[in-house]
């Protein structure tokens, strides 16, 4: 098991497959991009599958989500998914993507064993999308969402970040768009993980503000707390709407900054270059790539992973005035 000194057990593994991305979202990276990780430093496909196998077979991980950067840019993605789907016990497999290119790959990913997708989409207005991402590709994202739904990668979830003065007035429009298509929308408070270190708490659109915006058009009823478990999103039922599963439609808000959910956190993270992070906001990492390439057997790698998680702090410290933003941005850490 992966357990820490506070009794939390990590059963959800986030695996970053690349730090590269084909969008340039303003809250993530600068317009000209970043210096990408050199290819030799990235885990190979076989190394990724081996580490996921150790996590599932020896450490009790039950869910694996592939992230980036943009994971669809990983050439061996379908093969990685297929190999991980063949592990025993079989983990639940999901993917977080910006949706660009998903229309071409959704069917193959489903065939390989992927269970569902989360697609990042902050607006359905083409001009706002261009401003936020510095790219004119929203149509490709729409096509990717539709293809994922058609391929059976359900529930199709949409993740959105609101930026003050840019798209914060479009929250209800985005929810209405998702409800009409049977997608489950989740808003995420902007976190201090941008490469520019330009995040400002005072400029962040809070969960309370998001709910107030939605409440101007929709009637929301809080879902009972016991349904949440270790999930980061607080969810509300949207009265008058039916979800894709025939039950009530839902919308979620992940209040990572104003209402941290650290006490119930069940995640462990693996970066594209093979570093274990026990917290999204951690300033420390444990090198598993070096152990693999140095000839360590599975038992030794598992022990390194256990030690990394045992030292996990009570919280990310984001609500502490002395909080220090990690040097590595979201694109390198994996969402």
């Amino acid at each position: 098991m992966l357990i820490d000194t506070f009794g939390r057990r990590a059963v959800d593994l986030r695996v970053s497959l690349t730090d590269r991305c084909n969008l340039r979202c303003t809250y993530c990276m600068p317009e000209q991009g970043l210096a990408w990780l050199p290819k030799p430093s990235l885990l190979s496909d076989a190394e990724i599958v081996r580490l996921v196998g150790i996590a599932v077979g020896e450490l009790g991980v039950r869910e694996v989500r592939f992230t980036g950067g943009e994971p669809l840019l990983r050439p061996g993605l379908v093969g990685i998914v297929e190999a991980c789907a063949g592990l025993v016990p079989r983990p639940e497999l999901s993917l977080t993507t910006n949706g660009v290119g998903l229309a071409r790959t959704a069917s193959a990913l489903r065939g390989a064993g992927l269970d569902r997708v989360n697609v990042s989409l902050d607006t359905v207005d083409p001009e706002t999308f261009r401003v936020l991402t510095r790219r004119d590709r929203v149509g490709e994202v729409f096509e990717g969402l539709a293809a994922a739904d058609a391929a059976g990668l359900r529930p199709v979830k949409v993740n959105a970040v609101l930026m003050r003065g840019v798209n914060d007035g479009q929250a209800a429009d985005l929810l209405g768009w998702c409800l009409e298509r049977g997608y489950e929308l989740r808003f995420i408070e902007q976190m201090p993980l941008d490469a520019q270190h330009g995040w400002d708490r005072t400029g962040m659109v809070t969960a309370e503000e998001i709910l107030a915006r939605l409440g101007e058009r929709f009637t929301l009823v809080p879902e009972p707390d016991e349904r949440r478990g270790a999930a980061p999103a607080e969810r509300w039922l949207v009265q008058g709407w039916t979800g894709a599963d025939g039950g009530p439609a839902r919308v979620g808000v992940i209040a990572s900054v104003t209402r941290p959910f650290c006490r119930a956190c069940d995640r462990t993270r693996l970066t594209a270059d093979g570093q274990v992070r026990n917290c999204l906001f951690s300033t420390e990492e444990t090198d598993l790539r070096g152990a693999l390439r140095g000839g360590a057997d599975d038992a030794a790698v598992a022990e390194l992973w256990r030690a990394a998680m045992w030292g996990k702090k009570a919280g990310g410290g984001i609500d502490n005035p002395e909080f220090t933003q990690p040097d590595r941005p979201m694109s390198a850490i994996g969402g």
Side-chain angles (χ1 to χ4, degrees):
M1 290 194 303
L2 291 173
I3 193 168
D4 62 36
T5 56
F6 299 93
R8 295 169 297 193
R9 182 182 172 191
V11 297
D12 184 337
L13 170 62
R14 304 298 170 97
V15 182
S16 175
L17 299 181
T18 179
D19 61 329
R20 296 173 184 263
C21 190
N22 43 16
L23 299 181
R24 295 290 181 271
C25 298
T26 57
Y27 52 80
C28 185
M29 65 174 68
E31 185 171 4
Q32 299 305 317
L34 302 168
W36 306 124
L37 292 168
K39 189 172 182 179
S41 72
L42 298 176
L43 292 173
S44 68
D45 293 0
E47 288 171 335
I48 291 170
V49 173
R50 182 182 170 193
L51 287 173
V52 173
I54 292 170
V56 170
E58 300 196 30
L59 299 173
V61 164
R62 300 194 298 264
E63 301 175 30
V64 177
R65 181 180 297 184
F66 300 108
T67 72
E70 173 44 54
L72 293 181
L73 296 179
R74 178 86 185 204
L77 174 60
V78 173
I80 291 170
V81 170
E82 185 174 24
C84 291
L87 295 172
V88 179
R90 184 198 189 283
E92 178 183 331
L93 300 174
S94 60
L95 177 81
T96 294
T97 171
N98 62 30
V100 175
L102 185 57
R104 298 188 300 271
T105 54
S107 181
L109 287 168
R110 179 60 174 162
L114 191 70
D115 295 304
R116 62 178 184 82
V117 293
N118 286 50
V119 178
S120 299
L121 178 65
D122 305 315
T123 177
V124 292
D125 177 73
E127 177 58 22
T128 306
F129 184 91
R130 187 191 64 77
V131 170
L132 276 170
T133 68
R134 304 186 178 101
R135 298 291 187 272
D136 186 16
R137 308 187 74 171
V138 71
E140 296 174 66
V141 182
F142 294 164
E143 292 170 0
L145 280 161
D149 190 39
L153 293 169
R154 304 189 190 104
V156 176
K157 295 185 178 181
V158 173
N159 294 341
V161 174
L162 296 182
M163 302 291 289
R164 194 174 303 283
V166 181
N167 65 334
D168 55 323
Q170 301 175 22
D173 291 338
L174 182 55
L175 176 56
W177 189 88
C178 289
L179 290 170
E180 290 171 359
R181 291 158 178 79
Y183 307 150
E184 185 173 325
L185 176 61
R186 303 189 306 176
F187 291 97
I188 306 173
E189 288 182 337
Q190 183 197 2
M191 293 179 283
L193 291 169
D194 59 306
Q196 312 92 299
H197 285 214
W199 179 84
D200 182 358
R201 184 185 299 268
T202 61
M204 180 190 67
V205 181
T206 68
E208 291 302 324
E209 290 178 273
I210 294 167
L211 291 169
R213 295 276 191 177
L214 298 179
E216 294 172 359
R217 190 183 307 179
F218 299 96
T219 300
L220 306 181
V221 179
E223 192 172 54
D225 285 344
E226 62 268 17
R227 297 286 301 276
R228 182 180 180 185
E234 300 174 71
R235 299 198 302 181
W236 282 260
L237 306 179
V238 186
Q239 286 195 347
W241 288 87
T242 302
D245 60 358
R250 296 174 174 84
V251 62
V253 178
I254 300 178
S256 306
V257 178
T258 60
R259 294 197 290 269
F261 44 88
C262 301
R263 285 184 295 177
C265 181
D266 65 349
R267 297 179 181 178
T268 182
R269 298 176 180 275
L270 184 65
T271 67
D273 56 351
Q275 310 301 304
V276 165
R277 297 179 64 87
N278 59 29
C279 173
L280 189 59
F281 301 112
S282 177
T283 56
E284 300 175 351
E285 297 177 337
T286 298
D287 182 16
L288 297 190
R289 182 195 63 201
L292 288 183
R293 296 180 182 178
D297 61 17
D298 288 0
V301 174
E303 190 55 39
L304 279 174
W305 207 328
R306 289 190 190 96
M309 295 308 297
W310 182 252
K312 185 172 182 173
K313 297 179 180 178
I318 197 168
D319 50 351
N320 188 323
E322 298 180 359
F323 171 78
T324 300
Q325 181 172 339
D327 288 334
R328 303 186 86 179
M330 176 72 81
S331 60
I333 296 171

